[in-house]
Amino acid sequence: MEPSKIKDVGEAIRRVRKSRGLRLEDLADEGISPATISNIERGIAHVNSSKVYYLVQKLGLNMSEIPSILMEQEEELKDLKLTLDSIEAIISMGKYDEAMTKLEEIKIEDHHPYSAILHYIKGKCYAGMKKWNRAERSFSMAISLANQNRDQENIEAASFAELGLCCYRQNEIEKALEFTESGLDAFQESGGRGYVKYVLLRNKAVYLERLGRVNEGLRVIQEAWDQIDQIDESATVLNLYSARAELLRMAGQNEEAIKYAQEGLELSRRNKNYQCMFDMWTIMGSVYTSEVQWEKAERCFYTALASQGLLESEKALTDTYVWLGILYTEQKKWAKAKTYLEKAVTNAEAHNDAPKLTYALRIMGDYFKQQGKKDEAIPYYQKALKLARSYGYKKNQSQILFRLSQCYQETDRQEFEKCLLNMYEVQLETKNREADIFEEAE
């Protein structure tokens, strides 16, 4: 009997057994064991065909009845899939309690064809409720079941993507990157949910950008860009524009950064994506700041802030506040600079955004240091360093230690030398890790 046929017959056998309230042990005898029955029901290919026929006869069935049993099951599967799709839609509306109530009503076993999808959707619901541990357990279960149940919907890859987002939202960016790379490895081109590949590429680029790994991020963006015409989700396309513009800015390619920011701005305007519009205006403002075009920069930042009430989350405001602080610091408009930097710190703290809080604290330290107030700068640098160490932000650690060494250089030789030694150790560790990544790539 062909493996696909065994799978179909096995599903029909399980359905009949369950409908009669029989356990595996109730069907077992000297001719067939519970383990063999279980293998048949799960469609294990190496099962002896004679055992399959024996079990069918034992249930009082004819092989001719199998197609009608399977048709009934197919209808039930269609109904369940529609239910799961509707729940996933409810989650996208932010109605998590309603979605969880409906999810808890679905009772299926782990071998069910949709068990992996069920756990994946549960994970998305828990993530929306910020119940991270439960979300991570659900996604891990979805990955395990997808491997067991012939994953044809890329649930494994999608679950890795969601695990990455869970880590990212908890400020564990290195871990987020690892899960995302696992998702790309697991993605099947011939499977469903084709958009997942581009979500993974987009997320990988964003995580690399947050870690300051600019060249790697640009390579990932280019990989996605080569296939951008195949991406049918406008939000993903717009996020790729945003990530590309920001990475180009970080790489010092200002003209290219402005080009992609303007293209992304036009796309986001047509799609009424206010979050992306906000991001693009902020990126353009940051580029103009670095080019000492103060008026253009200020106009861009205030245009970004005009969309404040339309944003999905005010978490993104931190970037704009920081850049306004930098802009006014460069112009020595100290009072305005301090106002916006304090807003940046407060906003990052309110949203538990460790990467942006680290950056905002560092810039606040720069604000005082540029005025010669090194004693006032040190506490901000120390807070930023503590955060960077806590979450393993190596590049940030090196930048902050350098600034601290400048503050201590003339006043505390011991602290000055300690900062330099720590900075050397961080840079050495970073270079060793980059060498390992390069070897793996080869």
Side-chain angles (χ1 to χ4, degrees):
M1 187 179 294
E2 296 178 1
S4 60
K5 186 70 173 177
I6 292 175
K7 179 74 176 176
D8 290 343
V9 174
E11 288 174 357
I13 288 171
R14 180 190 292 117
R15 180 179 175 79
V16 172
R17 176 177 67 79
K18 289 284 187 181
S19 69
R20 296 179 184 178
L22 298 173
R23 301 171 303 159
L24 296 174
E25 291 78 7
D26 296 330
L27 284 176
D29 57 25
E30 293 181 357
I32 192 165
S33 68
T36 300
I37 297 171
S38 176
N39 288 339
I40 291 170
E41 289 186 352
R42 288 185 292 128
I44 301 299
H46 62 69
V47 173
N48 191 311
S49 296
S50 63
K51 298 287 186 181
V52 177
Y53 290 114
Y54 178 76
L55 188 56
V56 168
Q57 291 173 354
K58 189 161 188 179
L59 284 166
L61 299 172
N62 293 316
M63 290 298 289
S64 60
E65 296 177 73
I66 298 298
S68 62
I69 295 171
L70 288 174
M71 283 183 65
E72 282 182 35
Q73 183 169 338
E74 188 64 30
E75 286 303 312
E76 288 183 9
L77 286 174
K78 287 179 181 178
D79 287 344
L80 177 57
K81 186 62 168 62
L82 181 62
T83 299
L84 291 171
D85 288 344
S86 72
I87 295 172
E88 199 167 358
I90 291 169
I91 291 170
S92 69
M93 301 172 196
K95 299 179 179 180
Y96 304 117
D97 291 334
E98 181 183 341
M100 187 54 68
T101 299
K102 293 180 180 295
L103 285 167
E104 295 296 345
E105 293 172 356
I106 300 173
K107 307 295 181 184
I108 57 176
E109 297 178 351
D110 287 348
H111 52 67
H112 191 281
Y114 293 154
S115 59
I117 297 176
L118 175 64
H119 284 281
Y120 167 71
I121 294 173
K122 274 188 178 180
K124 288 183 70 173
C125 194
Y126 283 130
M129 299 163 81
K130 297 184 179 179
K131 295 182 178 180
W132 306 121
N133 289 337
R134 289 186 179 185
E136 288 166 8
R137 284 198 295 272
S138 293
F139 290 132
S140 296
M141 178 61 77
I143 290 167
S144 175
L145 293 172
N147 281 321
Q148 294 176 31
N149 297 342
R150 295 190 301 175
D151 181 18
Q152 296 178 346
E153 287 292 318
N154 273 309
I155 293 300
E156 182 182 5
S159 297
F160 274 123
E162 293 292 339
L163 279 170
L165 286 169
C166 285
C167 293
Y168 176 64
R169 288 165 184 156
Q170 296 174 83
N171 302 307
E172 297 176 322
I173 305 178
E174 289 278 6
K175 197 171 177 183
L177 183 59
E178 290 175 12
F179 279 127
T180 302
E181 288 171 340
S182 295
L184 286 166
D185 289 339
F187 183 79
Q188 302 175 56
E189 294 288 349
S190 60
R193 296 178 184 253
Y195 66 88
V196 170
K197 176 182 178 180
Y198 305 106
V199 169
L200 286 160
L201 288 170
R202 176 201 68 192
N203 291 354
K204 184 176 180 179
V206 170
Y207 303 154
L208 288 167
E209 178 247 303
R210 294 289 188 270
L211 292 167
R213 291 158 63 176
V214 178
N215 291 334
E216 291 175 74
L218 284 171
R219 284 196 293 271
V220 173
I221 286 289
Q222 188 57 57
E223 181 183 350
W225 219 262
D226 291 341
Q227 306 167 60
I228 201 164
D229 291 341
Q230 301 174 38
I231 305 175
D232 57 7
E233 191 178 60
S234 63
T236 300
V237 172
L238 288 168
N239 285 329
L240 285 170
Y241 269 96
S242 179
R244 183 162 200 166
E246 178 62 10
L247 285 162
L248 286 166
R249 181 200 67 79
M250 293 172 71
Q253 299 179 42
N254 290 343
E255 188 175 335
E256 285 289 291
I258 289 291
K259 172 181 176 290
Y260 284 104
Q262 288 176 335
E263 288 179 10
L265 186 60
E266 178 59 21
L267 277 173
S268 59
R269 186 188 61 78
R270 293 206 307 266
N271 285 276
K272 295 185 178 180
N273 187 318
Y274 300 111
Q275 184 67 58
C276 194
M277 288 171 66
F278 174 89
D279 292 341
M280 297 304 178
W281 281 114
T282 299
I283 291 167
M284 287 196 295
S286 64
V287 173
Y288 289 131
T289 299
S290 66
E291 293 188 335
V292 200
Q293 298 188 48
W294 307 133
E295 290 184 9
K296 284 185 177 181
E298 190 174 41
R299 194 182 314 143
C300 288
F301 293 137
Y302 282 113
T303 304
L305 291 177
S307 63
Q308 185 171 341
L310 301 170
L311 300 179
E312 299 170 9
S313 167
E314 294 195 344
K315 181 178 180 179
L317 292 173
T318 301
D319 273 338
T320 314
Y321 291 150
V322 168
W323 275 106
L324 275 166
I326 293 170
L327 173 67
Y328 290 131
T329 297
E330 290 296 315
Q331 297 178 79
K332 295 183 170 48
K333 295 180 179 179
W334 305 117
K336 280 189 171 183
K338 188 177 182 183
T339 296
Y340 280 106
L341 290 175
E342 286 173 344
K343 282 186 176 185
V345 170
T346 300
N347 197 65
E349 287 175 336
H351 292 91
N352 188 33
D353 191 346
K356 296 301 172 63
L357 180 56
T358 304
Y359 185 53
L361 289 166
R362 195 193 90 195
I363 299 301
M364 182 66 94
D366 292 347
Y367 162 84
F368 284 111
K369 186 164 74 69
Q370 282 190 234
Q371 298 176 73
K373 300 177 181 179
K374 294 181 180 178
D375 288 343
E376 293 182 62
I378 287 171
Y380 287 101
Y381 288 143
Q382 288 175 332
K383 288 179 185 178
L385 182 61
K386 183 178 179 181
L387 266 175
R389 282 174 170 165
S390 176
Y391 291 102
Y393 306 152
K394 297 297 182 184
K395 186 172 182 179
N396 285 326
Q397 289 178 48
S398 183
Q399 293 168 334
I400 297 162
L401 284 164
F402 176 69
R403 285 163 168 77
L404 274 171
S405 71
Q406 290 178 312
C407 291
Y408 288 125
Q409 187 173 2
E410 297 174 359
T411 58
D412 192 327
R413 194 71 187 175
Q414 185 175 351
E415 285 295 327
F416 170 70
E417 291 175 356
K418 182 180 175 183
C419 286
L420 291 179
L421 177 59
N422 288 338
M423 185 171 67
Y424 168 75
E425 289 174 348
V426 169
Q427 290 178 342
L428 185 63
E429 185 178 342
T430 302
K431 285 188 180 297
N432 289 338
R433 185 188 63 187
E434 288 174 352
D436 290 341
I437 291 171
F438 181 73
E439 287 177 7
E440 288 174 10
E442 287 187 318

